[in-house]
Amino acid sequence: MTTSFQLTRNSFRQLVLTDANGVEHVDVRPVRAFPIQSPNDGISLVKENGAELAWIDHLVDLPEAIRDLITEELEGREFMPEIIKIVSVTSFATPCTWHVQTDRGDTNFVLKGDEDIRRIGKDSLLISDNHGILFFVRNMFEIDKHSRKILDRFL
């Protein structure tokens, strides 16, 4: 497997892309094209100004060292806990506080309004809290019955 670029980190922990012509681009950032439906496919490596330097069809096709650097950078920049269970809500009127279990631990957040719950595809939801943190519900039809009842009241 060969790629038309190399990827390393400099002493400031920034990603450095060296293109096929040997030109170094400092502070490169990976951006997912489809972060929810296909998080490992369609990744663009861009400069700070947003100009694309490289396109990656499938992360799995890259050499392990480059794949690990991109994965590490994405994990450090993206934070979207997945809701496993909705324990309770303080009210069915907004604003209200939700008590949830996520893949990153238990937490509480304030839902400002019903418009802060958005459908992504037919099964998934994104819920934005009062600080702009996004919480992900992978499949609202497979979540436990109690959580589904709460979701139904807000949808």
Side-chain angles (χ1 to χ4, degrees), residues 106-117:
D106 295 357
T107 192
N108 303 321
F109 65 85
V110 175
L111 181 72
K112 291 186 299 185
D114 295 344
E115 65 276 1
D116 292 324
I117 301 175

Side-chain angles (χ1 to χ4, degrees), residues 5-9 15 59 62-72:
F5 64 88
Q6 288 298 314
L7 200 62
T8 58
R9 282 204 189 274
L15 287 180
L59 197 57
L62 293 175
E64 183 177 358
I66 293 175
R67 184 175 60 238
D68 289 348
L69 282 171
I70 292 171
T71 300
E72 178 184 332

Side-chain angles (χ1 to χ4, degrees), residues 42-57:
I43 297 173
S44 180
L45 297 177
V46 299
K47 294 196 263 184
E48 187 175 320
N49 67 2
E52 185 174 87
L53 296 169
W55 176 260
I56 301 160
D57 286 323

Side-chain angles (χ1 to χ4, degrees), residues 60-130:
V60 70
D61 293 340
L62 293 175
E64 183 177 358
I66 293 175
R67 184 175 60 238
D68 289 348
L69 282 171
I70 292 171
T71 300
E72 178 184 332
E73 187 72 13
L74 286 167
E75 287 175 355
R77 294 179 45 161
E78 297 176 346
F79 180 73
M80 188 183 327
E82 181 178 344
I83 294 175
I84 307 301
K85 180 179 184 172
I86 303 168
V87 177
S88 65
V89 294
T90 56
S91 169
F92 289 111
T94 56
C96 60
T97 301
W98 289 41
H99 305 280
V100 297
Q101 294 175 356
T102 75
D103 62 339
R104 311 246 177 140
D106 295 357
T107 192
N108 303 321
F109 65 85
V110 175
L111 181 72
K112 291 186 299 185
D114 295 344
E115 65 276 1
D116 292 324
I117 301 175
R118 294 178 301 204
R119 289 182 186 265
I120 304 295
K122 62 180 183 171
D123 301 336
S124 303
L125 300 171
L126 277 181
I127 301 172
S128 179
D129 77 357
N130 61 322

